[in-house]
Amino acid sequence: MRFAALNLASGRGSAPLREGLAPLAGCDVLALSEVDDAQDRSGGLDQAAGAAAAVGLPHWRMAPTLTGTPGLQRDWAPLAGTLRGPDDVQDDEQDDDGDSPRPSPRRPTFGVALLVRRPVTAWHALDLGTGRGRLPLVVPDPVSGRTGVLLFPDEPRAAVAAVLADGTVVAATHLSFAPPTALRQLRRLSAWLRGLAPAGPDGATRPVLLAGDLNLPAPLVRLAAGAPTLVRTPTFPGAAPRVQLDHVVSLGAPVTATGSAQQLAVGDHRALVVDVYPSSSQPV
């Protein structure tokens, strides 16, 4: 099973969504962070639905974390713990390529999305709460226009998980940029995901795989999740990565993996692409 994790950065990049995601068309599971829906800044697109069309993954859910637009002013409202999917997309909202702007009756939202090739027997969402930290970024001030260091508030965080027909659990998330908060979120999320898998006397008997922007380096991922990241390679920033923030982590039955970080024309991280196999060396 081929996994990919990408911070979509609301679709920012040098290419439209469909073109930018085309290299990931062979994936079986795609975990997306920073996904917009009905946001003016991204042309009103339903980016989860557009991504699903671009890579040919028919089963998907978006877990919105807030309604409004994330930014310097905390003028949004939390929305974590909910899910929306293909049945919520209206026929007249989007054209065939998923890239054309369209009016939407929905309020603007922002969150994470999980796209899956195999049939899904159950979808789940987990609200991971909002941290109190603020992220210093060098950006133009929206009032004065002068560039300087501004402190951006943390956002609500969530996870979306799918239970496949064979009992395999796959999940996507985007954790807090504040390491103490991200560590707490990852501990809670890992326990929750293991609880979704069919369990025997020695724990989960099927693969349980978490993908996404965890905002943590590999040693801290292992500390909080109780399992290592499957592939270690820098993923951020996308143009010249120095650190690994994006991970695929195995929380259930033993697996092996190979993979790499791939630069795309969309998003501000490199996409982490990982081929996962069970310990028998046959594809999951």
Side-chain angles (χ1 to χ4, degrees):
M1 186 181 294
R2 174 164 289 183
F3 282 71
L6 174 66
N7 189 314
L8 195 59
S10 301
R12 294 194 298 273
S14 60
L17 188 68
R18 186 181 186 91
E19 180 182 338
L21 292 176
L24 303 181
C27 291
D28 300 293
V29 178
L30 176 57
L32 294 175
S33 305
E34 298 192 9
V35 181
D36 279 2
D37 178 38
Q39 296 279 358
D40 289 342
R41 66 185 181 186
S42 49
L45 292 177
D46 181 342
Q47 291 187 331
V55 298
L57 296 178
H59 311 291
W60 63 270
R61 292 292 187 275
M62 177 183 177
T65 58
L66 58 84
T67 177
T69 304
L72 184 61
Q73 301 301 319
R74 196 165 174 167
D75 53 3
W76 38 259
L79 196 61
T82 63
L83 289 175
R84 58 173 297 271
D87 291 343
D88 303 308
V89 177
Q90 297 184 12
D91 291 340
D92 60 352
E93 287 181 349
Q94 185 172 313
D95 69 4
D96 290 339
D97 66 7
D99 283 334
S100 297
R102 46 78 174 165
S104 173
R106 291 193 302 276
R107 50 192 173 171
T109 61
F110 173 82
V112 298
L114 179 65
L115 289 58
V116 183
R117 187 174 307 282
R118 298 183 185 179
V120 175
T121 60
W123 291 94
H124 302 274
L126 179 66
D127 180 355
L128 292 169
T130 308
R132 297 180 180 179
R134 289 179 173 266
L135 180 66
L137 293 176
V138 180
V139 294
D141 186 287
V143 177
S144 68
R146 289 177 296 194
T147 298
V149 177
L150 299 179
L151 299 177
F152 284 76
D154 204 353
E155 304 150 3
R157 306 290 172 160
V160 52
V163 181
L164 307 186
D166 66 355
T168 297
V169 177
V170 296
T173 196
H174 182 197
L175 302 183
S176 170
F177 53 67
T181 303
L183 286 168
R184 291 194 298 270
Q185 291 170 337
L186 183 53
R187 290 189 189 100
R188 181 182 172 205
L189 174 56
S190 299
W192 179 73
L193 290 173
R194 289 183 173 107
L196 295 179
D202 297 323
T205 59
R206 290 296 304 165
V208 179
L209 296 149
L210 169 65
D213 179 356
L214 305 187
N215 268 321
L216 292 168
L220 291 183
V221 169
R222 180 165 193 157
L223 176 67
T229 186
L230 290 176
V231 172
R232 295 189 64 167
T233 184
T235 61
F236 180 81
R242 299 185 300 273
V243 297
Q244 181 172 6
L245 300 179
D246 307 271
H247 303 270
V248 176
V249 184
S250 174
L251 302 169
V255 300
T256 58
T258 60
S260 63
Q262 300 181 14
Q263 186 172 10
L264 304 181
V266 66
D268 61 351
H269 293 219
R270 292 201 174 187
L272 182 65
V273 181
V274 178
D275 290 309
V276 177
Y277 305 86
S279 54
S280 63
S281 299
Q282 296 300 316
V284 172

